[in-house]
Amino acid sequence: MKRPRAHIIEVLTNKVSDAYIAYLRKYEISYIFAGDDRLNCTLAVEKLKSLFEIEVLMLSGGGFINWSFLQEELIDELSIVMAPVTDGETSTVTLFEKADYLPPKAPVAFSLKSVEPVCGDSIWLRYTAKK
């Protein structure tokens, strides 16, 4: 069966339940395994490239998944659209957040690549990761 150009691919650990695998199969959702009890982002990227011929990924996860990919040096560009709006909440999500079970890692620096005004008062910031 030929897959459409864009489709869902679930990245799972080996701890996933058989019931969830059955659910994915029922709806013909592609999946790969990348890690035993926690996600191995490097293995996930390698499998996505070899099995699905994916050369470029856009990561738009939450702070924990973003940090996991950054920790494994898999993010080469950071793209942020900033809008002048705030809600004052203390529980606002972050772009990067380290899970408690991950080892400490030094801060990661980025270099400004471009700044572009968008949608009135918003700006689009693009950065490249410093190695």
Side-chain angles (χ1 to χ4, degrees), residues 18-48:
D18 291 340
Y20 190 65
I21 295 295
Y23 171 84
L24 296 175
R25 288 181 177 163
K26 176 181 176 183
Y27 291 100
E28 298 181 338
I29 297 172
S30 300
Y31 60 90
I32 60 170
F33 292 100
D36 290 325
D37 58 350
R38 68 182 184 113
L39 183 63
N40 178 327
C41 299
T42 302
L43 180 58
V45 169
E46 289 169 355
K47 285 187 173 186
L48 290 170

